[in-house]
């Protein structure tokens, strides 16, 4: 069975600073995909970044980047130059096999002015 | 481009009343469709998913049911609501095998009173 674990229920960061959100996962599949979703107070789920397991290079999207450690089954999200609009719940998710995405329980991030 | 519509945005229903939430997708054919529920400040619970018309997989046995009467329409129903059915309901779609992740609707906030 696939699992996704986010061990930090809540985090906070000062505006303009950098923060890293942790995610570990488990799957027996060799080919899989990992995602980070953002859910701001509006509760709209937004795809932030996507990583294909067979790609060594870490994905980046503007201020968002990941640290993908395949052997350790770790997939952390780094947010640089944090902005107030980054305040949200962040979910890590895994797709492997032929099953729906498996989501972690989320990390609530607060950006403080 | 593809869009997903979910309605209503907010709903207050008495205990024992029926429920019908609707989700439609535009701009794609044969999408995978999903219903999730999210309690306040909590993670996502997969309720149902569908890979084709009339094909529904149930993840959680409960007071709810789902139907897919048309290719791009997904309906979540209940004959008699319970207090415990309150929550935030999200519809999502993906291509077959969600390697590109999900696109979510804007959600329905359901309060059962």
């Amino acid at each position: 069975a696939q699992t996704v674990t986010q061990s930090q229920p809540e985090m906070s960061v000062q505006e303009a600073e950098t923060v890293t959100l942790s995610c570990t996962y488990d799957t027996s599949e060799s080919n899989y995909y990992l995602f980070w979703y953002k859910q701001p107070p509006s509760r709209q789920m937004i795809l932030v970044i996507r990583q294909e397991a067979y790609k060594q290079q870490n994905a980046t999207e503007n201020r968002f980047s990941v640290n993908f450690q395949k052997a350790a089954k770790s997939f952390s999200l780094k947010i640089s130059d944090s902005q107030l609009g980054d305040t949200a719940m962040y979910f890590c998710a895994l797709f492997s096999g032929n099953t729906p995405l498996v989501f972690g329980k989320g990390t609530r991030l607060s950006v403080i002015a | 481009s593809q869009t997903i519509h979910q309605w209503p945005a907010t709903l207050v229903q008495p205990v024992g009343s029926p429920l019908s939430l609707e989700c439609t997708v535009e701009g794609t054919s044969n999408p995978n469709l999903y219903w999730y529920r999210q309690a306040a400040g909590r993670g996502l619970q997969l309720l149902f998913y569908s890979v084709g018309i009339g094909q529904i997989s149930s993840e959680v046995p409960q007071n709810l049911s789902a139907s897919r009467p048309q290719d791009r329409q997904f309906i979540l129903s209940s004959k008699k609501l319970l207090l415990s059915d309150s929550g935030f309901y999200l519809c999502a779609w993906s291509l077959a095998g969600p390697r590109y992740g999900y696109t979510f609707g804007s959600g329905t906030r359901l309060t059962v009173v």
Side-chain angles (χ1 to χ4, degrees), chain A residues 31 33 35 37 39 41-47 50 52 89 91 95 98-106 108, chain B residues 34 36 38-44 46 49 59 87-88 90 97-107 109:
Chain A
N31 190 27
Y33 301 80
F35 308 87
Y37 279 88
Q39 187 181 40
S42 68
R43 302 191 83 171
Q44 174 72 56
M45 291 283 285
I46 303 164
L47 178 62
R50 168 181 175 267
E52 300 175 28
M89 183 78 91
F91 293 97
F95 168 61
N98 195 29
T99 58
L101 289 184
V102 177
F103 287 88
K105 293 185 176 181
R108 184 177 303 280
Chain B
Y34 311 86
Y36 283 86
Q38 185 180 29
R42 305 288 297 276
L44 299 167
L46 178 63
Y49 69 97
E59 292 294 304
F88 189 66
L90 283 160
R99 56 181 56 85
Y100 295 101
Y102 293 171
T103 299
F104 286 86
S106 53
R109 188 182 309 275

Side-chain angles (χ1 to χ4, degrees), chain A residues 53-71:
Chain A
Y54 63 86
K55 286 191 176 180
Q56 298 282 356
Q57 186 173 7
N58 289 325
T60 63
E61 287 288 342
N62 300 314
R63 298 182 295 107
F64 297 87
S65 61
V66 298
N67 183 6
F68 176 44
Q69 301 290 326
K70 192 171 184 177

Side-chain angles (χ1 to χ4, degrees), chain B residues 37-76:
Chain B
R37 179 168 61 196
Q38 185 180 29
R42 305 288 297 276
L44 299 167
Q45 179 187 35
L46 178 63
L47 300 175
F48 302 95
Y49 69 97
S50 171
V51 299
I53 295 175
Q55 300 179 58
I56 308 293
S57 296
S58 173
E59 292 294 304
V60 183
Q62 54 192 344
N63 189 41
L64 301 170
S65 62
S67 62
R68 184 170 178 173
Q70 300 180 42
D71 181 42
R72 291 167 289 178
Q73 184 184 29
F74 205 24
I75 298 172
L76 182 68

Side-chain angles (χ1 to χ4, degrees), chain B residues 5-23:
Chain B
H5 303 281
Q6 184 181 345
W7 68 93
T10 305
L11 196 57
V12 180
Q13 292 284 93
V15 169
S17 63
L19 173 72
S20 180
L21 303 182
E22 190 163 342
C23 175

